[in-house]
Amino acid sequence: MKTTAAIGIPKLFSCQFEGKLLDAFPFEQGYTPASAEAYIDFVKQELAPQIVNVAHPRYIGHMTGPVPPLMHELHGCMALFNQNLVKLETSGMATHIEREVIGELHRIFFQKGEEFYKYYTPDPDHCLGNITSGGTLSNITALSYALSKKLSNPKDPSASINNIGLLKSMVNKGYTDIVVLGTAHSHYSMNKAMRLLGLGYQSFIKIDPAILKSAEGRGMLSGMMENYKKAGTLVLALIGVAGTTEAGIIDPLEMMAEVAVEHDVHFHVDAAFGGAFMFSDKLADKLQGITQADSITLCGHKQLYLPMGISVCLFKSPELAGYSEINSHYQARKGGIDLGKYTIEGSRPFSAFIIHGVLRLIGKEGYAEILESNHDRARYFGELVAAHGSFELYNTPELNIVLYRYVPTWLRTRVKKGTLSKTEQQELNRLNVIIQKRQFDKGSSFVSYTEIPDTSGSGERVVWLRAVLMNPYTSPQDLQEILQEQETIAASVIL
């Protein structure tokens, strides 16, 4: 196993305004509560000690990490501006900034020519994407827009789904049912989307990811779509995942995109976690095929290190959002440049300001630096686990999530041979859950855990400890000591 030196702090985390940005905007702050000092004491003495320190170098269990110093002031300045992006009258230049930011993100993922962005980015009658409050809403947006397009009626808009509803538009189009296809490890927000669109959980058809990645995957997927078509069922969308939230696994996006095109199916890529790797020319090939997606979800509050609540849904076609446009007489008017006529949300904050600021200050190259650092750190931790006799590594990490589990001495041979009994597997699951919970309770370090179906096809679920390596301050020593602490906890449980 190769050892790595301590990783330097990336530019993203060393860039600061040092208070000067907020000082430049001496806006009136309104009334000062008489109990301000008491509330400050409450925050210091009661709240702060009881919240989770997600910025700690040994907090490596989830996709929530430290927010770089410059984000503090950008976010504070956004609050002072208090712009509402639903309409131009409450946003002014902020609307133009939003369109600029969406265009730049679209360029990174879809890589169209300069003339494309020169025309479509500012064009009032087209939309390249929406800035949303989270990956869930971005996924819902993508499926909602796809449904509006599929059940539209260009010749008679009054007969489209937006006007007559789901059931009548299905009958008019000759469909008896609607399904969405995706791998079994798709994010649970897909169930939320299916519920909200009136399609139901059962209409999300889960595909075995192992079969999809196999030599039979293309034929199987194409055959499914053909069979649904013959049965009068609309295959609304195919969902590919670019970095699953559980294990950072990437679906075969390129093959899925090709099959979707062959069957005229909307291809959506949920890249909430892994999409940021497109910022790195060195690692972007891991997401081969993402540029062929019809829509893409990206969470800025994950690997772009933005404050919570900033995500994006990007559309390959500038025409897609038009199928879901809604206008009113006092805002979101037809022909207006603001994007409120397209978004599911009405009032929206000036989140684009934070993205705009960090792209101007750090740029694509600055993000590449930290993403490559995360990837290296995950590979190092994976090697550390694999070389440690007490732990089993789930797989070589594709991105920067590492799954592993503690295995006691007397079960190690049986684990390697794959001969664990059902009872032994359950005991091993229980042991790893205890390790995770006791480590969290101790408060010095944290990894999460997840349950993944047994690859043997038994139907049993296997517990794996889960580390998300996205904190630039996490050192090799931190990772070594996290394993040591887990081994110590395991010994105390077994005794």
Side-chain angles (χ1 to χ4, degrees):
M1 179 184 70
K2 296 184 294 183
T3 58
T4 62
I7 300 171
I9 304 304
K11 181 181 177 183
L12 176 61
F13 278 78
S14 60
C15 179
Q16 299 187 47
F17 290 110
E18 298 179 348
K20 296 176 182 178
L21 180 61
L22 290 179
D23 290 343
F25 297 94
F27 297 157
E28 291 294 330
Q29 298 299 306
Y31 297 108
T32 301
S35 59
E37 291 183 1
Y39 192 75
I40 290 172
D41 288 341
F42 161 74
V43 171
K44 287 182 177 180
Q45 298 173 17
E46 297 184 47
L47 178 61
Q50 298 299 321
I51 62 174
V52 177
N53 183 6
V54 297
H56 194 282
R58 296 187 187 180
Y59 181 95
I60 59 170
H62 285 305
M63 297 173 177
T64 304
V67 175
L70 81 157
M71 302 294 185
H72 304 168
E73 295 204 50
L74 286 170
H75 193 269
C77 194
M78 181 193 81
L80 287 175
F81 285 148
N82 197 33
Q83 300 295 282
N84 185 350
L85 275 291
V86 71
K87 53 191 172 186
L88 195 64
E89 291 93 337
T90 56
S91 62
M93 187 178 176
T95 284
H96 299 278
I97 293 292
E98 182 175 53
R99 280 186 169 269
E100 179 185 326
V101 165
I102 291 171
E104 186 56 34
L105 293 174
H106 192 283
R107 186 194 307 268
I108 290 172
F109 283 87
F110 293 109
Q111 303 166 8
K112 302 291 186 181
E114 190 61 35
E115 289 302 313
F116 176 93
Y117 294 104
K118 187 175 180 181
Y119 178 78
Y120 285 113
T121 298
D123 184 56
D125 295 323
H126 293 92
C127 174
L128 299 179
N130 291 344
I131 294 178
T132 72
S133 60
T136 292
L137 187 56
S138 290
N139 285 335
I140 291 170
T141 296
L143 289 182
S144 172
Y145 282 21
L147 186 62
S148 290
K149 180 182 177 182
K150 286 292 184 181
L151 296 182
S152 66
N153 191 327
K155 294 182 179 180
D156 182 10
S158 66
S160 296
I161 181 176
N162 295 346
N163 191 52
I164 64 175
L166 180 62
L167 295 179
K168 290 181 180 178
S169 57
M170 284 177 61
V171 171
N172 289 350
K173 291 279 187 176
Y175 295 119
T176 58
D177 201 359
I178 299 178
V179 296
V180 173
L181 308 182
T183 49
H185 55 210
S186 295
H187 193 259
Y188 69 94
S189 62
M190 293 303 166
N191 279 340
K192 296 181 182 181
M194 300 301 286
R195 182 187 68 206
L196 290 171
L197 295 177
L199 304 179
Y201 302 147
Q202 292 183 352
S203 292
F204 187 80
I205 309 302
K206 297 179 180 180
I207 303 169
D208 186 327
I211 296 177
L212 192 64
K213 280 191 173 184
S214 71
E216 294 77 30
R218 178 189 289 269
M220 178 269 296
L221 182 59
S222 184
M224 288 179 68
M225 291 186 178
E226 189 62 37
N227 289 336
Y228 279 120
K229 182 179 179 180
K230 289 178 180 178
T233 296
L234 169 63
V235 180
L236 172 62
L238 174 64
I239 310 299
V241 185
T244 61
T245 52
E246 288 189 312
I249 293 171
I250 304 166
D251 284 335
L253 304 179
E254 191 167 29
M255 179 273 285
M256 296 173 77
E258 292 168 356
V259 174
V261 169
E262 291 171 7
H263 294 271
D264 190 28
V265 170
H266 184 98
F267 181 44
H268 174 66
V269 174
D270 181 357
F273 178 70
F277 280 82
M278 286 296 289
F279 285 72
S280 165
D281 293 337
K282 178 181 175 182
L283 299 172
D285 282 348
K286 287 180 171 291
L287 307 185
Q288 195 74 32
I290 196 171
T291 58
Q292 300 173 56
D294 294 298
S295 55
I296 297 171
T297 286
L298 172 69
C299 273
H301 53 253
K302 290 186 171 71
Q303 303 218 67
L304 296 185
Y305 295 89
L306 307 183
M308 286 299 301
I310 304 177
S311 295
V312 183
C313 186
L314 299 171
F315 319 127
K316 180 168 65 176
S317 169
E319 312 285 345
L320 178 63
Y323 292 95
S324 297
E325 180 176 349
I326 296 179
N327 307 116
S328 76
H329 295 293
Y330 76 102
Q331 64 181 28
R333 297 183 181 94
K334 191 74 175 176
I337 194 171
D338 43 73
L339 297 174
K341 59 181 181 280
Y342 299 120
T343 58
I344 292 177
E345 295 170 285
S347 297
R348 292 178 297 114
F350 188 17
S351 301
F353 172 68
I354 301 177
I355 308 175
H356 183 266
V358 74
L359 287 179
R360 287 288 187 92
L361 292 163
I362 302 300
K364 185 169 176 278
E365 298 77 13
Y367 272 124
E369 176 192 17
I370 193 168
L371 288 160
E372 290 164 14
S373 170
N374 289 343
H375 185 257
D376 290 345
R377 194 175 288 105
R379 294 299 291 258
Y380 168 75
F381 190 47
E383 292 171 359
L384 192 67
V385 169
H388 198 300
S390 299
F391 295 91
E392 178 192 10
L393 182 68
Y394 175 72
N395 67 343
T396 300
E398 294 186 52
L399 296 177
N400 52 317
I401 296 179
V402 180
L403 297 188
Y404 64 103
R405 62 179 176 175
Y406 177 83
V407 181
T409 306
W410 63 89
L411 289 179
R412 289 172 192 169
T413 300
R414 293 177 67 79
V415 165
K416 288 180 180 178
K417 292 181 177 180
T419 57
L420 284 179
S421 68
K422 182 177 180 179
T423 300
E424 289 170 335
Q425 181 62 71
Q426 290 173 344
E427 282 301 307
L428 192 54
N429 285 350
R430 186 184 68 85
L431 174 60
N432 279 274
V433 169
I434 292 173
I435 292 171
Q436 187 274 335
K437 290 184 175 180
R438 289 195 181 178
Q439 188 171 38
F440 178 66
D441 290 341
K442 289 182 67 176
S444 59
S445 54
F446 168 72
V447 302
S448 58
Y449 79 87
T450 188
E451 298 180 21
I452 292 181
D454 187 354
T455 55
S456 68
S458 66
E460 296 294 317
R461 301 189 73 86
V462 179
V463 170
W464 297 91
L465 301 175
R466 173 176 172 269
V468 184
L469 285 305
M470 53 181 287
N471 189 325
Y473 300 105
T474 302
S475 68
Q477 182 177 347
D478 287 323
L479 297 174
Q480 293 163 14
E481 291 181 2
I482 285 172
L483 290 183
Q484 289 172 5
E485 184 179 43
Q486 290 169 347
E487 191 173 29
T488 300
I489 294 171
S492 66
V493 173
I494 294 169
L495 290 176

